[in-house]
Amino acid sequence: MQKLMVIVMLMAVMLLIDYYVFQGITFLMQNSSATARKAVKYGYWGLTVVSFLVILVYNFGDPEWFKGSSRSLIFTGLFINYFSKVFAMLFLFMDDLIRGVKWIISRFSSPSPSGDGEPITRSEFLTKTAILAGTVPLVAMSYGIISGAHDYRFRRKTIYLPNLPKEFDGITIGQLSDIHSGSFFNKTAVKGGVEMFLREKPDLIFFTGDLVNNESGEVKDYINIFDKLKAPLGVYSTTGNHDYGDYATWSSETAKRKNFQDLIAAHDQMGYDLLMNEHRFIQIGNEKIAVLGNENWGAGRFSKYGNLEKAYAGSEEAPVKLLLSHDPSHWDAQVRPKHPDIDVMFAGHTHGFQFGVEVGGFKWSPSQYVYKQWAGLYQEDNQYLYVNRGFGYLGYPGRVGMPPELTIITLKREA
């Protein structure tokens, strides 16, 4: 009963939003033909009816009707629709506020020559501005799904390390992060992104976690795409916070553990060397460096499965240590204070919030208010952190101003 009341209240709010915005549309279309007005009316309210049906079916129907990427797209559509209308409402409310003030003033002033009590009409300028304001997020977020979700971009950086062995001078590392295979809706585009990445022919490939959203089965249809990732010196991976099934409901702890074991098996099927709080030595000639892999460890509320000490133990002799750790908050919390000899940490996790602005040297995203290091290369003393903006997406199935990333890092020996 309580759930029904919440749904009824939600739908009532949505109906009020729809009615309020429709008044502005009606005002702008008052000089249009009867056919055009009728088409807009039926289309507008028809979308409202469909929205209500979706909410009712999702909450009281068969949950199997809403699974995977289809659910994400449907509810993103609902969000974009009403988010855009709320933007429009701000300007319509401004118009109504001005009209209200004018009406109050008119009650205490001399009657106008045109007659007392004449209604104060809407401002055409503010009403047009309201509709435009509502259209901007609608267009931007729709474009972010249609184009931005798979608009893969390369990010290239060179890192100079004083202890890098000569044999490794100029080695290239390709990094992917946050695949989130359960969100994909365009398999062809995903395959294209992987092919772009492979054309770079990196010497090493790192994957820094979040292969799925919740369940290991999400990656099943994409294993034969991501298993194409090969590199002469190997492909190494680690886990992210979404890989453990912590955000799903399980019938038992046994089922949850089985899900995680299946995820580990998926890494193996793809040919990735999954580092679970352990390390590997990579050797060229007589020289070697260490690659460490830490299970997810995030500051604050995020899971802390990682054990950096265990991953580090035995790698002390390596002149250069590269760490794979999903959450960038791990860098300041544990890596820098405890292990100043870990040269570079590779992370992901933030997605750059899938929204932002990057022009020249300027970059902004809401992500920066949550994470100190949220995208790109950071340096403190002789240590580096690279935060990948993510290959996939979560929640909103698109990206606006924060395209999916393919990273190429070149390591150079500092003269």
Side-chain angles (χ1 to χ4, degrees):
M1 188 65 180
Q2 184 178 6
K3 181 179 181 180
L4 178 61
M5 289 299 297
V6 171
I7 297 301
V8 169
M9 290 175 63
L10 173 64
M11 292 171 65
V13 171
M14 291 167 63
L15 189 61
L16 286 172
I17 292 172
D18 281 327
Y19 178 78
Y20 196 60
V21 174
F22 189 68
Q23 302 312 303
I25 294 174
T26 301
F27 174 75
L28 290 181
M29 295 199 67
Q30 58 188 336
N31 296 321
S32 302
S33 67
T35 302
R37 292 199 303 271
K38 187 178 292 186
V40 169
K41 178 181 178 181
Y42 288 149
Y44 186 92
W45 290 109
L47 183 58
T48 299
V49 171
V50 170
S51 300
F52 286 3
L53 287 174
V54 166
I55 292 172
L56 291 173
V57 171
Y58 177 75
N59 285 280
F60 303 108
D62 186 350
E64 292 297 314
W65 294 350
F66 295 91
K67 294 203 74 174
S69 59
S70 61
R71 177 175 62 185
S72 178
L73 287 170
I74 289 169
F75 283 96
T76 297
L78 279 175
F79 173 78
I80 293 174
N81 181 24
Y82 283 93
F83 182 73
S84 301
K85 287 174 180 175
V86 168
F87 259 70
M89 280 180 62
L90 296 176
F91 290 89
L92 290 174
F93 179 74
M94 187 186 305
D95 185 26
D96 285 339
L97 188 64
I98 293 171
R99 292 167 64 205
V101 171
K102 286 182 178 179
W103 181 83
I104 292 172
I105 293 173
S106 72
R107 304 302 295 174
F108 294 95
S109 61
S110 302
S112 64
S114 57
D116 188 24
E118 181 180 346
I120 301 169
T121 61
R122 278 192 178 279
S123 160
E124 185 174 355
F125 170 75
L126 283 176
T127 305
K128 286 182 177 179
T129 303
I131 302 304
L132 178 62
T135 302
V136 169
L138 174 65
V139 172
M141 295 183 77
S142 298
Y143 183 79
I145 297 172
I146 296 168
S147 177
H150 302 106
D151 184 18
Y152 303 106
R153 304 287 183 88
F154 280 104
R155 302 279 181 170
R156 305 174 191 275
K157 293 291 181 181
T158 299
I159 298 176
Y160 292 88
L161 302 176
N163 297 323
L164 187 68
K166 290 181 179 180
E167 295 284 357
F168 288 86
D169 190 20
I171 189 175
T172 56
I173 300 170
Q175 183 194 4
L176 290 182
S177 193
D178 300 86
I179 286 174
H180 288 287
S181 51
S183 297
F184 290 144
F185 60 89
N186 189 334
K187 195 171 184 179
T188 301
V190 172
K191 183 180 178 183
V194 170
E195 290 172 348
M196 282 177 61
F197 190 64
L198 285 175
R199 284 195 288 270
E200 292 292 308
K201 299 180 179 179
D203 300 304
L204 263 173
I205 293 178
F206 293 160
F207 171 61
T208 45
D210 277 1
L211 182 62
V212 298
N213 294 342
N214 296 301
E215 300 177 13
S216 61
E218 295 167 6
V219 77
K220 180 180 178 182
D221 292 337
Y222 291 90
I223 285 178
N224 64 350
I225 291 178
F226 290 105
D227 68 0
K228 301 298 186 295
L229 292 173
K230 306 293 182 186
L233 298 179
V235 180
Y236 298 88
S237 60
T238 192
T239 50
N241 56 301
H242 280 268
D243 291 325
Y244 295 87
D246 289 344
Y247 309 123
T249 301
W250 301 97
S251 59
S252 65
E253 278 299 315
T254 301
K256 183 180 178 182
R257 285 195 296 271
K258 173 64 165 56
N259 176 74
F260 188 58
Q261 290 303 313
D262 289 343
L263 180 120
I264 292 173
H267 280 254
D268 185 59
Q269 282 180 269
M270 293 186 297
Y272 298 3
D273 188 351
L274 179 60
L275 302 178
M276 304 285 285
N277 302 321
E278 52 192 328
H279 65 269
R280 302 283 187 269
F281 289 112
I282 299 175
Q283 189 158 342
I284 301 178
N286 295 321
E287 305 283 3
K288 63 182 179 180
I289 62 174
V291 176
L292 289 64
N294 202 75
E295 286 191 67
N296 189 76
W297 195 100
R301 62 187 177 87
F302 287 104
S303 57
K304 295 173 173 58
Y305 295 99
N307 186 328
L308 182 58
E309 300 309 317
K310 185 178 177 183
Y312 179 88
S315 70
E316 294 88 349
E317 63 185 271
V320 165
K321 301 173 186 66
L322 309 176
L323 171 66
L324 281 60
S325 185
H326 178 71
D327 192 317
S329 64
H330 190 209
W331 196 52
D332 278 337
Q334 287 192 334
V335 178
R336 289 202 308 111
K338 296 182 179 181
H339 295 286
D341 59 337
I342 291 180
D343 299 271
V344 189
M345 173 175 148
F346 295 82
H349 183 62
T350 71
H351 301 203
F353 268 41
Q354 297 168 212
F355 176 81
V357 177
E358 295 192 76
V359 180
F362 173 80
K363 66 178 183 179
W364 174 90
S365 165
S367 185
Q368 68 191 56
Y369 304 116
V370 181
Y371 296 96
K372 181 181 176 182
Q373 298 93 10
W374 59 275
L377 184 64
Y378 300 86
Q379 180 181 5
E380 291 287 346
D381 298 322
N382 293 320
Q383 291 181 283
Y384 294 86
L385 165 68
Y386 192 86
V387 185
N388 181 286
R389 295 160 180 82
F391 182 89
Y393 36 84
L394 181 67
Y396 167 57
R399 288 171 173 265
V400 178
M402 193 63 58
E405 177 174 345
L406 308 171
T407 309
I408 300 294
I409 300 288
T410 301
L411 298 184
K412 295 289 290 181
R413 182 180 173 88
E414 191 173 68

